[in-house]
């Protein structure tokens, strides 16, 4: 009887934990060989920047739950330091976890994001 109760309790715990939704912890911007991760903070806001010798990148937005998926509002700016070249992008997309999606492209640069 004790074994039966223990087994039932264990199955209940496993069943409950497997149905728990996993919320994304960061939004990852990717283009060419560049990856810019941004931690999702309170209220779903995220912000990250990357400043190298070649470019400055600012990546921000907000993540909100939309059913089983997530609405991601994205603002992105990339400035090449050796020229006046600048890319600005603002968009909204609905994503699932670990589901990369292209959000734009300029010339040969293709920009994508994913929730992790």
């Amino acid at each position: 009887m004790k074994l039966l109760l223990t087994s039932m309790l264990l199955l209940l715990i496993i069943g409950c934990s497997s149905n728990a939704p996993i919320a994304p912890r960061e939004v990852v911007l990717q283009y060419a060989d560049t990856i810019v991760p941004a931690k999702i903070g309170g209220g779903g806001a995220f912000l990250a920047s990357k400043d190298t010798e070649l470019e400055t990148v600012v990546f921000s937005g907000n993540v909100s739950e939309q059913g089983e998926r997530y609405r991601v509002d994205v603002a992105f700016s990339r400035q090449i330091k050796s020229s006046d070249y600048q890319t600005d992008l603002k968009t909204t997309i609905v994503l699932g976890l670990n589901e990369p999606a292209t959000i734009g492209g300029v010339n040969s640069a293709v920009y994508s994001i994913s929730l992790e």
Side-chain angles (χ1 to χ4, degrees):
M1 182 67 164
K2 191 174 187 180
L3 179 60
L4 179 62
L5 287 174
T6 304
S7 298
M8 288 175 56
L9 182 60
L10 183 59
L11 288 174
L12 178 65
I13 291 171
I14 292 171
C16 291
S17 65
S18 65
N19 291 334
I22 299 172
R25 290 178 279 158
E26 66 182 5
V27 182
V28 179
L29 170 71
Q30 190 169 7
Y31 60 94
D33 293 331
T34 303
I35 296 174
V36 183
K39 298 271 186 219
I40 300 172
F46 63 90
L47 172 65
S49 62
K50 186 171 190 174
D51 193 8
T52 68
E53 290 181 20
L54 301 176
E55 65 184 1
T56 300
V57 176
V58 179
F59 173 51
S60 64
N62 194 61
V63 178
S64 57
E65 197 170 347
Q66 189 163 342
E68 295 179 7
R69 298 166 62 86
Y70 297 90
R71 175 186 164 144
V72 185
D73 298 309
V74 179
F76 164 73
S77 180
R78 176 183 177 209
Q79 182 175 12
I80 306 297
K81 292 181 178 180
S82 63
S83 67
D84 289 334
Y85 179 81
Q86 181 166 335
T87 301
D88 293 305
L89 176 69
K90 188 173 183 178
T91 190
T92 299
I93 190 166
V94 177
L95 290 174
L97 281 173
N98 301 311
E99 178 185 301
T102 299
I103 58 170
V106 177
N107 298 327
S108 62
V110 176
Y111 303 97
S112 65
I113 62 169
S114 62
L115 295 174
E116 297 179 6

